[in-house]
Amino acid sequence: MTLAVNKISKQFGRFPALNSVSLQAREGEFLALLGPSGSGKTTLLRVIAGLDKPDQGSVFMDGVDFLKLSARERRVGLVFQQYALFRHMTVAKNIAFGLDVRPGKSRPSRQAIKARVDELLALTHIQGLGDRYPAQLSGGQRQRVAVARALAFEPRILLLDEPFGALDTKVRKELRSELRRIHDETGVTTILVTHDQEEAMALADRVVLMNRGQIEQLGSPQELDDAPASPFVFEFLGECNRLPCKVSGGVALNNGFAAPIIGGGTSEGEGEALFRPSDTQLDSGPVGDGLPVRVVQVGGRGALRTIECQALSGHRLFAELPEHLAGHFEAGQRARLTARRVVVDIKAKSADPSASHLEAPTREIA
Amino acid sequence: MSTSLALIASESLPRRRLYWREPSPLPGFRLAFGFTLFYVGLIILLPLAALVSRPWEHGISGFLSSILEPRTLASLRLSFLAAVFAALANVVLGVAVAWVLTRYEFPGRSVFDALVDLPFALPTAVAGIALATLYSQNGWIGSPLQAIGLKVAYTPTGVFVALLAVGLPYVVRSVQPVLEDMEAAIEEAARTLGANALQTSTRIVLPALAPALLSGFAMAFARGAGEYGSVIFIAGNMPGVSEIAPLVIVSKLEQYDYSGAAAVGVAMLLISLAALVGINALQIAFSRRGER
């Protein structure tokens, strides 16, 4: 089943929640709508489900005009963050609800519904819980019931709104892989709304990164990682160091620091270089390329260590190094810092470090 | 030594000790419990005991003859039937009012919300006089109703109307918080699963409201059965037709028939008690469902 969302706009009062958003989901695809809160991802999901009406645009599912159908006619499986289970019904009744409420002729027989419920209890690995009430289940089990309920009536598409938001980390990771397995077994086209970039990148075939009601970038996790379309995308997908720089010939420069800009970079001038701690390299030798820094602290445990450095200008920069390389550094030592790849935010004026790093104690660089 | 201790401990674990009360980390149980006992005794049990001890001057036959008077029986029937029907009607109306107050945003909503409580605050006699004026033959509502042959004031219907007004806030105020707490997502889930409006209300919303509806019904019923002030002005108080039980009690008192008045009082007490116990049992059954 293919979903085609075309130029959807939606305003709440004067707040533009969605601004001409277009995307397509291929048959059986797993999409993640990713973005900070207020980016419009949940609104887009509710527009697709029929719970919110867009001001403009169209939504087609396999050629069917979704906007002409009410939420109950769309046959869309929706999973809510707070489960939204029916508390006075058993798990089995909850799962069967979508089939139970069908009008006379199209309602499956009692046995057929029971068989379908058993099938879904097995699919979501909650066999034996059919007779319990939601209040008797753990959060993870409740969300499994919600997924089973949304799948029971064979929806055209499965939509999940921050489904793991209310769960603790361990259960969240477990359910995450379960969700992918359930998707792969059923082949249902799935759209997941999340603000957790790790979740989106780990689960989805393609990620739709949204910001302020618009799509910043749409692509596979690999594409978003390798070729971020904007500094926002790069910053949203992981931790970043920020360093003022000059841009010349596709390279970001600052006092010995010279790093290639992802995608080359066409504009010249001043800006801020954004780069990941994991892309940051440190050299302890006295001479050579690199921004002169002083090691402030070596932290972390295990295979990866985080080394906090301070540049002469006062900027704090973090480098993530494997244990055997991090061993060369200790607090107070001088080093030279470079990055494998950077993204440059041209618009951003380089901030006064003493103002933007008030929380960090200023140290003299000897 | 330590192993044998552990053994004893593990053996005695499954046997559940019967506590007279569950141990609680909150201090002050004795004081609070003593006060509660004293207060319940002083305010509720003592007057009831006085009432129950009163009607036996002429023995059990005197008690029975006071109650079994046709006039008394008719008044008891009217009081309790009108209370039941008014409470039932209030359940329907109250859900509608609570629904509007919680689910929609409109100008003047908070004023409406406050108006619901007015029957609580209004002296019942004031409400009674107002209703009697409205529904009398020349009243704003009474005269058009008269034209289509419906007489409300000075009939049993008048009793029903008065109890309708008195009982509404009980239902609204017990249902409203439950509706407010019910996540919109629950109804949205039902909708996306294909339920129509009727199915969503009957299968999702009403079952969730059931305990609150019952307690609203119980309170409206209890209040209605004992209501005096607002009813006597509109009821007309024709013995055997539109006379309520509390009025029978008052008229017996006025004739210095204290034991007769107490007998009717005890009868009302027993009927109310039986009804409330029944409602409570239902409520426990409802709230057990889906919990633990």
Side-chain angles (χ1 to χ4, degrees):
Chain A
M1 307 249 182
T2 19
L3 172 79
V5 172
N6 199 18
K7 292 186 179 160
I8 288 288
S9 294
K10 166 94 187 159
Q11 284 206 322
F12 290 115
R14 295 181 63 189
F15 175 72
L18 290 172
N19 188 358
S20 193
V21 170
S22 303
L23 64 87
Q24 296 195 338
R26 294 188 278 263
E27 161 100 54
E29 195 174 22
F30 196 131
L31 277 189
L33 298 183
L34 175 66
S37 55
S39 59
K41 53 194 194 303
T42 293
T43 307
L44 181 56
L45 197 80
R46 291 175 59 86
V47 164
I48 296 170
L51 298 173
D52 275 334
K53 269 205 173 109
D55 301 330
Q56 278 162 37
S58 66
V59 179
F60 280 89
M61 184 87 210
D62 276 339
V64 178
D65 186 350
F66 249 26
L67 296 185
K68 288 213 173 105
L69 300 180
S70 70
R72 55 178 290 257
E73 293 162 327
R74 291 189 191 188
R75 211 146 53 78
V76 161
L78 186 53
V79 175
F80 297 84
Q81 177 173 0
Q82 296 296 339
Y83 325 123
L85 296 178
F86 307 135
R87 264 170 280 182
H88 60 285
M89 292 185 192
T90 61
V91 167
K93 281 274 175 203
N94 263 283
I95 297 175
F97 188 80
L99 300 169
D100 270 339
V101 295
R102 286 210 186 148
K105 308 175 282 299
S106 60
R107 181 167 49 228
S109 70
R110 199 173 280 247
Q111 295 94 321
I113 291 180
K114 191 180 177 307
R116 181 74 183 140
V117 168
D118 287 341
E119 203 178 305
L120 280 151
L121 286 171
L123 176 72
T124 50
H125 290 174
I126 44 174
Q127 300 99 318
L129 297 185
D131 293 330
R132 302 257 191 108
Y133 285 94
Q136 298 166 310
L137 304 180
S138 71
Q141 289 170 331
R142 286 181 209 185
Q143 201 52 290
R144 284 167 193 264
V145 176
V147 170
R149 182 179 68 178
L151 287 172
F153 66 143
E154 291 177 342
R156 293 185 165 111
I157 188 166
L158 178 65
L159 308 176
L160 304 106
D161 187 6
E162 304 263 10
F164 313 127
L167 302 168
D168 62 59
T169 319
K170 187 164 166 279
V171 180
R172 191 182 308 178
K173 290 214 162 131
E174 188 186 308
L175 267 188
R176 203 189 274 175
S177 61
E178 284 279 283
L179 179 63
R180 183 68 213 198
R181 173 186 63 78
I182 289 168
H183 168 267
D184 294 346
E185 278 179 29
T186 57
V188 63
T189 311
T190 303
I191 299 183
L192 167 81
V193 160
T194 178
H195 62 266
D196 181 345
Q197 50 86 18
E198 202 192 320
E199 191 167 291
M201 301 294 262
L203 271 176
D205 298 324
R206 288 193 300 157
V207 174
V208 184
L209 183 47
M210 298 187 64
N211 185 29
R212 297 171 184 215
Q214 286 178 312
I215 295 180
E216 286 272 340
Q217 190 170 6
L218 199 167
S220 68
Q222 192 71 44
E223 281 165 7
L224 262 66
D225 251 346
D226 289 350
S230 66
F232 173 84
V233 174
F234 189 72
E235 214 175 359
F236 195 82
L237 293 181
E239 283 173 71
C240 279
N241 289 313
R242 279 179 168 269
L243 185 69
C245 68
K246 280 198 175 67
V247 176
S248 172
V251 180
L253 302 163
N254 179 342
N255 188 19
F257 178 93
I261 297 170
I262 297 173
T266 46
S267 33
E268 310 264 315
E270 304 227 334
E272 252 188 324
L274 277 58
F275 53 100
R276 303 232 184 276
S278 55
D279 284 335
T280 305
Q281 294 168 313
L282 272 185
D283 193 336
S284 54
V287 285
D289 285 342
L291 179 75
V293 294
R294 188 186 168 93
V295 174
V296 176
Q297 192 180 313
V298 181
R301 280 180 295 150
L304 273 181
R305 298 291 163 93
T306 304
I307 300 178
E308 184 183 348
C309 307
Q310 188 169 32
L312 287 168
S313 57
H315 287 90
R316 292 193 171 244
L317 304 163
F318 294 85
E320 232 171 59
L321 297 185
E323 195 183 359
H324 67 278
L325 290 179
H328 300 301
F329 298 97
E330 56 188 35
Q333 189 182 343
R334 286 186 212 181
R336 285 169 294 106
L337 182 145
T338 51
R340 269 182 287 270
R341 47 177 214 154
V342 300
V343 164
V344 174
D345 193 351
I346 287 286
K347 292 161 290 181
K349 287 271 165 275
S350 62
D352 178 9
S354 61
S356 65
H357 294 271
L358 279 177
E359 72 282 8
T362 324
R363 291 197 195 191
E364 290 297 311
I365 305 272
Chain B
M1 186 55 182
S2 64
T3 49
S4 67
L5 264 178
L7 248 174
I8 292 164
S10 69
E11 269 174 359
S12 61
L13 249 180
R15 232 179 297 144
R16 192 165 171 272
R17 258 192 73 185
L18 275 176
Y19 284 98
W20 179 60
R21 63 181 180 100
E22 292 289 323
S24 159
L26 286 176
F29 172 74
R30 279 158 202 260
L31 184 66
F33 187 70
F35 180 75
T36 307
L37 216 56
F38 171 73
Y39 201 70
V40 168
L42 187 72
I43 299 295
I44 301 175
L45 295 180
L46 200 62
L48 283 185
L51 172 70
V52 172
S53 67
R54 196 68 185 76
W56 312 106
E57 279 166 22
H58 307 292
I60 191 99
S61 61
F63 175 79
L64 284 177
S65 68
S66 309
I67 292 176
L68 295 178
E69 262 173 52
R71 182 178 165 190
T72 310
L73 279 181
S75 72
L76 284 172
R77 199 173 55 230
L78 174 64
S79 272
F80 284 104
L81 280 184
V84 166
F85 284 121
L88 282 176
N90 269 330
V91 163
V92 178
L93 297 172
V95 168
V97 171
W99 179 267
V100 168
L101 287 179
T102 51
R103 285 296 189 272
Y104 304 102
E105 194 68 56
F106 53 90
R109 192 183 68 162
S110 53
V111 176
F112 274 101
D113 200 58
L115 279 180
V116 168
D117 282 334
L118 211 56
F120 280 151
L122 213 59
T124 52
V126 176
I129 293 169
L131 285 171
T133 315
L134 263 184
Y135 285 94
S136 70
Q137 286 177 27
N138 306 318
W140 290 347
I141 302 179
S143 63
L145 283 181
Q146 183 87 12
I148 59 168
L150 208 66
K151 203 164 174 302
V152 174
Y154 317 126
T155 67
T157 318
V159 179
F160 172 78
V161 168
L163 298 187
L164 215 52
V166 168
L168 184 69
Y170 292 95
V171 179
V172 175
R173 290 296 178 238
S174 58
V175 169
Q176 201 174 3
V178 183
L179 268 180
E180 258 161 20
D181 278 357
M182 202 188 290
E183 305 157 73
I186 301 266
E187 287 157 57
E188 287 174 351
R191 241 194 314 155
T192 56
L193 289 168
N196 59 31
L198 186 68
Q199 286 165 326
T200 307
S201 358
T202 56
R203 298 198 189 190
I204 305 300
V205 179
L206 283 182
L209 285 185
L213 280 179
L214 262 178
S215 69
F217 174 84
M219 285 191 286
F221 164 77
R223 171 71 195 268
E227 180 62 19
Y228 179 75
S230 61
V231 176
I232 51 167
F233 293 98
I234 194 175
N237 310 323
M238 243 186 347
V241 179
S242 61
E243 187 183 42
I244 55 169
L247 188 68
V248 170
I249 296 177
V250 171
S251 57
K252 279 190 188 301
L253 285 177
E254 280 169 353
Q255 293 156 25
Y256 304 106
D257 180 8
Y258 293 123
S259 63
V264 180
V266 169
M268 288 195 73
L269 181 70
L270 290 177
I271 299 172
S272 290
L273 203 64
L276 290 182
V277 166
I279 291 168
N280 249 342
L282 259 181
Q283 216 164 4
I284 290 169
F286 268 127
S287 59
R288 282 243 176 94
R289 194 188 48 178
E291 303 292 325
R292 242 136 297 184

